Amino acid sequence: MVSSILRDARRIVIKVGSSLVTNEGRGLDETAITEWSRQMAALVGGSAGPRREVIMVSSGAIAEGMKRLGWSTRPHEIHELQAAAAVGQMGLAQMYETKLREQGLGSAQVLLTHADLADRERYLNARSTLLTLLRLGVVPVINENDTVVTDEIKFGDNDTLGALVANLVEADALVILTDQKGLYTADPRRDPLAQFVHEAAAGDPSLEAMAGGVGTSIGRGGMITKIIAAKRAAGSGASTVIAWGREPDVLLRLCAGEAIGTLLVAQTAKKQARKQWMADHLQLRGAVTVDLGAAAKLRQEGKSLLPIGMVAVEGEFSRGDVIAVRDAAGAEIARGLANYASAEARLLCRKPSSEFERLLGYSAEPEMVHRDNLVLSGA
């Protein structure tokens, strides 16, 4: 199945761990980052098949900071972790920028915390930024914002961050590159009867029993965090591959359909998962009523909802809330994520996008609800 899932994937999140990025804590591994950058360039540019959109989630800031500060063991105090991250993030971003630029690719540093993805408006802002970067052909390099992280908002490991980013951008696949070949039924270093798991269903409870504990002193994760990340990614329809990061041309071979590592298959299709989530969303914060023309475009053509087609706004909602879209008779046509809060939406009714900046003082998206964030009633 890996041949079709990865071969057909057009939007891919790639996560690499600290031990790989920093060569087990000895400092940023320039050779490895050069190799991943070369492969990403081939995927984005289309020289290795169809053009792909690629997001890199990279650990390594704290580990690189530890190396620069002369620390041999990972600190436990939050302020020391923040300091190490602040020192190391400079080198990490510079390395990726240099290596991707050598391949003709632009890069962008994006730092996230759990709070960014828990807050509706910040979630939508982060999504819009990442999708814009992908549309521009830029590779976002994402890391947890460890310089401001606290116990309450930290992801805990970048495997979780990779899965959340896959959910955020509705990726087709999550590729977790690690220092292991993949998942075994038991620890092969201790159990000679351990068997390699080539493929399984993401979320299968037996997988967590197979996984070991935490990883090295450099990183925070272990195989268990990757199993849980795959389960989380599957929630939005993304399948996950766990593979050895130093496998030659690992990204290119995976995307060519070669079976490498462990494939954890999402049991729900991407579009179906997102549509089901919105269709089942019970906490509708409000609604907009649209005219006959807008209703027809939504029902018959699957278009985005533009404010110029809106005639009324009901309720109080914020950017990122799920709202209903109704026709003049009050029947629900669709529901989706609002790009504008209710107060702003009222100002934008019957207005073209050219008027947004004058009315609001800024211009965000031209749509009230983008078609990617909209599901038709009964669909």
Side-chain angles (χ1 to χ4, degrees):
M1 186 177 290
V2 67
S3 60
S4 61
I5 289 178
L6 272 295
R7 188 186 61 226
D8 296 340
R10 293 297 177 267
R11 182 175 295 161
I12 304 169
V13 174
I14 301 164
K15 183 268 175 181
V16 291
S18 295
S19 61
L20 284 174
V21 174
T22 64
N23 198 11
E24 299 294 343
R26 288 187 286 272
L28 292 176
D29 192 331
E30 183 175 354
T31 300
I33 294 175
T34 298
E35 272 300 294
W36 298 324
S37 297
R38 177 184 62 80
Q39 294 175 61
M40 286 190 286
L43 295 176
V44 173
S47 63
R51 292 179 181 270
R52 324 271 182 152
E53 295 177 333
V54 173
I55 294 175
M56 171 66 84
V57 175
S58 178
S59 301
I62 291 179
E64 173 63 10
M66 287 168 52
K67 185 249 185 182
R68 293 185 177 206
L69 292 168
W71 298 349
S72 59
T73 58
R74 182 184 177 92
H76 297 287
E77 296 293 332
I78 285 291
H79 66 274
E80 290 183 340
L81 289 169
Q82 292 170 331
V87 172
Q89 194 64 245
M90 296 292 289
L92 184 68
Q94 182 181 29
M95 179 69 76
Y96 275 106
E97 194 277 335
T98 298
K99 296 307 174 183
L100 288 168
R101 180 161 42 84
E102 288 175 355
Q103 300 295 330
L105 285 179
S107 62
Q109 182 188 51
V110 180
L111 300 176
L112 295 173
T113 67
H114 195 284
D116 294 321
L117 303 186
D119 179 86
R120 294 184 301 273
E121 184 170 355
R122 286 155 70 180
Y123 176 98
L124 207 55
N125 289 341
R127 173 182 164 85
S128 296
T129 298
L130 290 174
L131 294 182
T132 299
L133 289 170
L134 293 177
R135 187 171 66 250
L136 295 171
V138 172
V139 175
V141 180
I142 300 177
N143 195 359
E144 184 173 359
N145 193 358
D146 288 308
T147 56
V148 299
V149 77
T150 68
D151 283 327
E152 288 75 25
I153 65 175
K154 65 183 179 181
F155 290 114
D157 60 85
N158 273 356
D159 296 320
T160 299
L161 177 56
L164 291 173
V165 171
N167 295 154
L168 179 67
V169 301
E170 294 178 81
D172 299 303
L174 169 64
V175 176
I176 298 178
L177 298 183
T178 182
D179 54 6
Q180 302 177 55
K181 295 286 186 179
L183 177 65
Y184 288 83
T185 55
D187 188 341
R189 296 167 297 184
R190 302 175 181 176
D191 186 349
L193 299 180
Q195 297 183 349
F196 189 78
V197 179
H198 293 279
E199 184 177 318
D204 183 338
S206 66
L207 296 178
E208 295 182 31
M210 297 178 191
V214 297
T216 66
S217 62
I218 297 300
R220 282 176 288 180
M223 193 56 69
I224 185 65
T225 68
K226 294 163 180 55
I227 298 302
I228 295 173
K231 179 180 179 180
R232 188 184 297 269
S236 61
S239 295
T240 298
V241 172
I242 303 170
W244 186 39
R246 301 193 187 282
E247 185 80 37
D249 285 332
V250 59
L251 299 176
L252 301 182
R253 289 162 60 195
L254 280 170
C255 290
E258 188 172 339
I260 302 174
T262 297
L263 172 65
L264 301 178
V265 183
Q267 300 303 293
T268 305
K270 183 175 72 169
K271 289 184 179 180
Q272 182 183 350
R274 186 167 181 79
K275 284 185 175 183
Q276 193 63 50
W277 176 78
M278 283 190 286
D280 292 343
H281 204 87
L282 299 179
Q283 295 183 342
L284 295 178
R285 301 291 184 179
V288 295
T289 301
V290 299
D291 59 25
L292 289 175
K297 286 186 176 295
L298 291 174
R299 284 178 170 140
Q300 300 168 19
E301 302 178 38
K303 298 289 188 179
S304 298
L305 172 60
L306 303 179
I308 197 170
M310 300 182 336
V311 297
V313 177
E314 176 187 332
E316 300 299 325
F317 53 85
S318 301
R319 171 174 163 84
D321 281 340
V322 178
I323 61 171
V325 181
R326 297 172 180 157
D327 62 17
E332 183 175 311
I333 302 171
R335 57 180 58 184
L337 301 181
N339 280 335
Y340 293 94
S342 52
E344 297 170 319
R346 291 186 175 95
L347 294 174
L348 298 181
C349 281
R350 314 299 292 170
K351 299 296 192 299
S353 59
S354 58
E355 292 285 296
F356 291 6
E357 188 167 359
R358 179 183 66 81
L359 292 166
L360 304 179
Y362 74 98
S363 177
E365 288 82 3
E367 312 90 3
M368 179 63 193
V369 180
H370 193 278
R371 62 185 179 184
D372 290 345
N373 296 325
L374 184 145
V375 56
L376 295 175
S377 298

